[in-house]
Coordinates of all heavy atoms in Angstrom, one line a residue:
D70 N -68.2 -30.6 41.4 CA -68.0 -30.0 42.8 C -67.9 -28.6 42.7 O -68.1 -27.9 43.7 CB -66.8 -30.7 43.6 CG -66.9 -32.2 43.7 OD1 -68.1 -32.7 43.7 OD2 -65.9 -32.8 43.8
R71 N -67.3 -28.1 41.7 CA -67.0 -26.7 41.5 C -68.0 -26.0 40.7 O -68.7 -26.6 39.9 CB -65.6 -26.5 40.8 CG -64.4 -27.1 41.7 CD -63.2 -27.1 41.0 NE -62.2 -27.7 41.8 CZ -61.2 -27.1 42.2 NH1 -61.0 -25.8 42.0 NH2 -60.2 -27.7 43.0
D72 N -68.0 -24.6 40.8 CA -69.0 -23.8 39.9 C -68.3 -23.7 38.5 O -67.2 -23.6 38.3 CB -69.2 -22.5 40.5 CG -70.1 -22.6 41.7 OD1 -70.9 -23.6 41.8 OD2 -70.0 -21.7 42.6
P73 N -69.2 -23.6 37.5 CA -68.7 -23.4 36.1 C -68.0 -22.0 35.9 O -68.2 -21.1 36.7 CB -70.0 -23.5 35.3 CG -71.1 -23.4 36.2 CD -70.6 -23.8 37.5
S74 N -67.3 -21.9 34.9 CA -66.6 -20.7 34.5 C -67.4 -19.4 34.7 O -68.6 -19.5 34.3 CB -66.1 -20.8 33.0 OG -65.8 -19.7 32.5
S75 N -66.6 -18.4 35.1 CA -67.4 -17.1 35.2 C -67.9 -16.4 33.8 O -68.6 -15.7 33.7 CB -66.4 -16.1 35.9 OG -65.3 -16.0 35.2
E76 N -67.3 -17.0 32.8 CA -67.7 -16.7 31.5 C -68.6 -17.6 30.7 O -68.7 -17.6 29.6 CB -66.4 -16.5 30.5 CG -65.5 -15.4 30.9 CD -66.0 -13.9 30.8 OE1 -67.3 -13.8 30.6 OE2 -65.3 -13.0 31.0
M77 N -69.3 -18.4 31.6 CA -70.2 -19.4 31.1 C -71.3 -18.7 30.1 O -71.6 -19.4 29.1 CB -70.9 -20.1 32.2 CG -72.1 -21.1 31.8 SD -72.7 -22.0 33.1 CE -73.7 -20.7 34.0
L78 N -71.7 -17.5 30.4 CA -72.8 -16.9 29.6 C -72.4 -16.7 28.2 O -73.1 -16.9 27.3 CB -73.3 -15.5 30.2 CG -73.9 -15.6 31.6 CD1 -74.2 -14.2 32.1 CD2 -75.2 -16.4 31.6
M79 N -71.1 -16.4 28.0 CA -70.6 -16.1 26.7 C -70.6 -17.5 25.9 O -70.9 -17.6 24.7 CB -69.1 -15.6 26.8 CG -68.4 -15.5 25.4 SD -66.9 -14.6 25.5 CE -65.8 -15.7 26.5
H80 N -70.1 -18.6 26.5 CA -70.0 -20.0 25.9 C -71.5 -20.4 25.6 O -71.8 -20.9 24.5 CB -69.5 -20.9 26.9 CG -68.0 -20.7 27.2 ND1 -67.1 -21.7 26.8 CD2 -67.3 -19.8 27.7 CE1 -65.9 -21.3 27.1 NE2 -66.0 -20.1 27.7
L81 N -72.5 -20.1 26.5 CA -73.8 -20.6 26.2 C -74.4 -19.8 25.0 O -75.0 -20.4 24.2 CB -74.8 -20.2 27.4 CG -74.5 -21.0 28.7 CD1 -75.4 -20.5 29.8 CD2 -74.6 -22.6 28.6
E82 N -74.0 -18.7 24.8 CA -74.5 -17.8 23.7 C -74.0 -18.4 22.4 O -74.7 -18.4 21.4 CB -74.1 -16.3 23.9 CG -74.5 -15.4 22.8 CD -76.0 -15.2 22.8 OE1 -76.6 -15.4 23.8 OE2 -76.6 -14.9 21.6
V83 N -72.7 -18.7 22.4 CA -72.0 -19.4 21.2 C -72.8 -20.6 20.8 O -73.2 -20.8 19.6 CB -70.6 -19.7 21.3 CG1 -70.0 -20.4 20.2 CG2 -69.8 -18.4 21.7
Y84 N -73.1 -21.5 21.7 CA -73.7 -22.9 21.5 C -75.1 -22.6 21.0 O -75.6 -23.3 20.1 CB -73.7 -23.8 22.6 CG -72.3 -24.2 23.0 CD1 -71.7 -23.9 24.2 CD2 -71.6 -25.0 22.1 CE1 -70.4 -24.3 24.5 CE2 -70.4 -25.6 22.4 CZ -69.8 -25.1 23.7 OH -68.5 -25.5 23.9
R85 N -75.9 -21.5 21.5 CA -77.2 -21.2 21.1 C -77.1 -20.7 19.6 O -78.1 -21.2 18.8 CB -77.8 -20.1 22.0 CG -78.9 -20.6 22.9 CD -79.4 -19.5 23.7 NE -79.1 -19.6 25.1 CZ -78.6 -18.8 25.9 NH1 -78.2 -17.7 25.4 NH2 -78.3 -19.1 27.1
Q86 N -76.2 -19.9 19.3 CA -76.1 -19.2 18.0 C -75.6 -20.2 16.9 O -75.8 -20.0 15.7 CB -75.3 -18.0 18.0 CG -75.7 -16.9 18.9 CD -77.1 -16.3 18.4 OE1 -77.3 -16.2 17.1 NE2 -77.9 -15.7 19.2
R87 N -74.8 -21.2 17.3 CA -74.0 -22.0 16.3 C -74.1 -23.5 16.6 O -73.4 -24.1 17.3 CB -72.6 -21.7 16.4 CG -72.2 -20.2 15.8 CD -72.1 -20.2 14.3 NE -71.1 -21.1 13.7 CZ -69.9 -20.8 13.6 NH1 -69.4 -19.6 13.9 NH2 -69.1 -21.7 13.1
P88 N -75.2 -24.1 16.1 CA -75.4 -25.5 16.4 C -74.3 -26.4 15.9 O -74.0 -27.5 16.4 CB -76.7 -25.9 15.6 CG -77.3 -24.7 15.2 CD -76.3 -23.5 15.2
D89 N -73.5 -25.9 14.8 CA -72.3 -26.6 14.3 C -71.2 -26.6 15.2 O -70.2 -27.4 15.0 CB -71.9 -26.0 13.0 CG -71.6 -24.5 13.1 OD1 -72.2 -23.7 13.7 OD2 -70.4 -24.2 12.6

Side-chain angles (χ1 to χ4, degrees):
D70 297 334
R71 295 166 183 255
D72 285 336
S74 162
S75 55
E76 295 296 10
M77 176 175 68
L78 295 176
M79 175 171 69
H80 290 244
L81 299 176
E82 182 66 27
V83 173
Y84 292 112
R85 253 184 242 124
Q86 299 288 335
R87 292 281 301 274
D89 60 310

